[in-house]
Amino acid sequence: TGTKATAVPVYDQNALKAGRAHASCKECLPLLLTTGGLLKYLETRTSSNEKLIYFMPTCGGNCRFTQYNVFLHKLINKNQIPDVALLTLSNENGYAGLALPYVLNVLKSIIIADCMDDIRNALFTLAKDRKSAMKKFDDQWSLIIDTLQNNKGKGLFKTLNSVVKELSQIPLKMKITDAPVVSLMGEIFVRRDYFSCQDILERLATRNIIVKRAPISEWLDYCDYNVKTGIYESQFGIGGQVEFHTKVFLQKWYENKIGKLMEKSGLYIHEPINIPSLIKYGKYFFDERFTGEAILVAGSFYKHVLHSIQGAISIGPFACMPTRVTEATVTSQLATSCISTITDREIPPVDIATLPFLSIETDGGPFSQIIETRIEAFCLQVERVHQQMQHSHYGNHTGTFQEAIIVDSIKTREKSNV
């Protein structure tokens, strides 16, 4: 459209301090960081005539996120900041409001970013020469961004094929199927923000544990599910309904096409996002009308633990209600025997008393010694589970347990194609 757009840089302590300086410090960490990010940008922008629109979505329900855009509106008005406005879309109608062609470009970008984040984390853990691997990854990531930014997505899949080919040639210490995998889930902002997560990814990588972060597209699929089932009252007209269902169809198509393509890198295992399946497991703990991350975390953990992951970390802001509700419910059902009660899937014969699940709250400061100790104990649990899973058999499959996941993934895709 010819509109200049830029992403807020990765947050740092300066952004956190700027946010705290304009708040009571009792607010959620994401609010402090997004406020600080906006203020830092305004301090350093070069054009005094710039008209700035700051994208700050919102939601309904039980999260403080509902008040973020309200807070920022008041901050802009109170400080009389000129030429700054907010663009606020809501999850209650699937973030509708933009023209479909622009939405599809955004969706493709998000799906690719999800895949590349997993590939980066896998490379950081598995590469023989980490520094060289990260350099090559950054170069390939720049090619993708250039295609999206300057060519408006033209030739995108040609670029992705080239990127996958280059990444697949990086020497690895072991195959991705031989490494333990931990899912990083929880509050949607914190789990995707490097500053909020601090050194969790690097800490686990030193122990050859791959961190697979819950994708942003999972949250988008979940919002669409709530619209389709009527949990969110979207109030679409006929045109809005047609556009919504077209978006949902194309989003799933892009998820599968891009995911299967990125799988060829040998650094990514594509598992199609299946929200009804996650809700099925999560409903053991929550009514699906209790919307938010809690039901997704519970459902995803019990669907994937002892299958495609060996443990999970649920991370959220300090005093985050959904995070604490999740911790209270999931940690009460961590005995291995609970899986057969909650799920109906096959479970490998592992000799462990408690499933590896760790809940962390972060306020932007360094983790306390207690949390660091809990992380170390969690890693030991994950390593033990992984060793036992690698020595077990999965059904009639005679390879490693993780390799069986790829077989399962292919079968799932074949069924969905039928």
Side-chain angles (χ1 to χ4, degrees), residues 28 56-59 63-69 95 187-188:
C28 224
M56 174 51 65
T58 189
C59 70
C63 182
R64 289 175 285 186
F65 183 39
T66 306
Q67 298 299 316
Y68 286 17
N69 73 96
Y95 301 106
E187 195 271 332
I188 182 66

Side-chain angles (χ1 to χ4, degrees), residues 154-186:
K154 186 177 181 181
L156 177 61
F157 286 97
K158 181 179 179 181
T159 299
L160 291 180
N161 274 292
S162 173
V163 167
V164 166
K165 183 178 180 181
E166 288 295 321
L167 294 176
S168 66
Q169 296 173 2
I170 297 176
L172 306 177
K173 295 182 291 186
M174 67 181 86
K175 295 188 296 183
I176 190 172
T177 52
D178 293 332
V181 179
V182 163
S183 179
L184 182 63
M185 49 183 69

Side-chain angles (χ1 to χ4, degrees), residues 204-327:
L204 270 63
T206 60
R207 304 184 71 135
N208 291 328
I209 299 174
I210 298 173
V211 178
K212 182 179 175 66
R213 294 203 283 185
I216 297 174
S217 47
E218 177 192 81
W219 177 256
L220 298 179
D221 282 4
Y222 172 64
C223 294
D224 292 339
Y225 170 87
N226 287 334
V227 172
K228 287 188 291 184
T229 56
I231 295 174
Y232 291 161
E233 298 179 0
S234 57
Q235 299 180 343
F236 285 134
I238 295 177
Q241 287 283 358
V242 171
E243 187 171 293
F244 171 76
H245 288 288
T246 302
K247 184 209 77 169
V248 170
F249 173 81
L250 291 175
Q251 180 175 330
K252 295 304 296 182
W253 188 80
Y254 282 127
E255 282 177 12
N256 286 315
K257 181 174 182 179
I258 294 171
K260 286 186 279 188
L261 173 59
M262 304 306 278
E263 199 170 38
K264 296 177 183 178
S265 67
L267 296 162
Y268 176 80
I269 297 175
H270 175 53
E271 294 183 81
I273 299 170
N274 188 334
I275 297 300
S277 179
L278 298 185
I279 298 298
K280 172 187 171 183
Y281 293 115
K283 283 170 72 173
Y284 180 85
F285 300 95
F286 305 103
D287 188 296
E288 62 181 318
R289 291 171 295 178
F290 182 75
T291 58
E293 293 92 340
I295 193 170
L296 288 181
V297 172
S300 183
F301 176 67
Y302 282 99
K303 178 182 179 181
H304 295 117
V305 70
L306 302 188
H307 180 60
S308 57
I309 62 173
Q310 284 75 52
I313 298 175
S314 174
I315 189 169
F318 179 73
C320 173
M321 189 270 284
T323 301
R324 291 189 173 180
V325 168
T326 303
E327 179 182 12

Side-chain angles (χ1 to χ4, degrees), residues 116-128:
M116 290 295 285
D117 183 73
D118 283 346
I119 289 174
R120 180 192 181 279
N121 295 338
L123 265 181
F124 194 82
T125 303
L126 303 177
K128 288 183 177 179

